[in-house]
Amino acid sequence: DVKQSIYQFRLAEPRLFLQKYKEFTPDANGTGMKIDLNRNFRSRSEVLDSTNYVFEQVMDEGVGEIDYDDKASLKYGEGYNEDKRQLETELVIFDEQGNESYDDDETDSEALEKSQREARYIIKRIKEMVGKEQVYDAKTKSYRDMRYSDIVILMRSMRWASDLAEEFKAA
């Protein structure tokens, strides 16, 4: 889908998606049928609502080459209905100057690459949550402490993944 292809995962070509998206119609008039695959069964509604909110603000024909309208927005497809809590999402924007604080032993003047700063922040947040935050376990139908195995990190490149792994080992 074009919303993911703009990140160039697996060398995606957004123009190919856009061309077909504009050619195809919901009723298969002419070239082919357009089917919007926007129902998400893997994420909580809070995650989808937050994602939709951000994309509605920043994504349009000029940025992202597609309008982020109701057809493009992600729809909740069930899956977490047993956990009735309303949870908050967190959006972190990194300071380009590198002014984040990590409470570690390294000096503040140490020059770190952006990917290293991002990795350190993620590690810090994970350590704050594991063992302290409660997650709903669908298998046991009860709440339990968060484990490392409950966390998934989506990364934009293998280099970034390598940086994160190295930082995590050092932490």
Side-chain angles (χ1 to χ4, degrees):
D1 114 30
V2 71
K3 296 184 302 278
Q4 292 185 25
S5 68
I6 64 170
Y7 300 107
Q8 298 181 354
F9 291 132
R10 296 182 188 93
L11 305 175
E13 290 287 342
R15 285 176 203 83
L16 297 175
F17 288 103
L18 287 168
Q19 179 184 349
K20 295 298 181 192
Y21 190 80
K22 290 176 181 177
E23 284 177 17
F24 291 6
T25 61
D27 58 358
N29 232 359
T31 60
M33 181 181 283
K34 181 191 302 187
I35 301 171
D36 290 307
L37 301 176
N38 55 7
R39 188 131 334 259
N40 184 302
F41 296 90
R42 294 184 178 190
S43 300
R44 292 183 61 101
S45 60
E46 296 91 344
V47 172
L48 301 179
D49 292 345
S50 295
T51 301
N52 286 333
Y53 178 78
V54 170
F55 282 165
E56 286 167 3
Q57 309 308 307
V58 300
M59 195 174 214
D60 59 21
E61 285 278 343
V63 178
E65 301 181 47
I66 189 171
D67 283 326
Y68 200 83
D69 56 13
D70 187 58
K71 287 183 234 169
S73 68
L74 300 169
K75 309 289 190 265
Y76 180 63
E78 300 298 318
Y80 289 93
N81 55 353
E82 293 181 36
D83 184 356
K84 301 296 184 196
R85 298 176 297 169
Q86 287 291 307
L87 301 175
E88 294 182 6
T89 56
E90 179 179 336
L91 173 65
V92 178
I93 300 173
F94 282 86
D95 180 348
E96 286 296 322
Q97 303 303 313
N99 295 325
E100 296 86 9
S101 171
Y102 301 99
D103 299 328
D104 62 14
D105 295 332
E106 300 191 35
T107 63
D108 291 335
S109 63
E110 180 185 3
L112 296 173
E113 286 186 30
K114 185 179 179 200
S115 63
Q116 291 173 308
R117 292 187 287 121
E118 289 173 351
R120 288 185 183 191
Y121 179 82
I122 291 168
I123 292 165
K124 179 182 172 192
R125 283 297 291 135
I126 290 171
K127 286 182 174 182
E128 290 170 358
M129 294 186 306
V130 169
K132 298 173 188 102
E133 299 286 328
Q134 293 286 300
V135 297
Y136 183 77
D137 188 324
K139 290 180 185 174
T140 64
K141 297 187 186 307
S142 63
Y143 292 92
R144 61 170 171 74
D145 288 344
M146 182 181 287
R147 303 176 190 146
Y148 287 108
S149 60
D150 294 317
I151 299 169
V152 175
I153 302 171
L154 303 177
M155 295 178 230
R156 62 182 152 263
S157 72
M158 289 307 293
R159 180 180 178 275
W160 200 89
S162 175
D163 286 352
L164 180 62
E166 288 302 315
E167 291 292 330
F168 205 83
K169 286 179 194 174

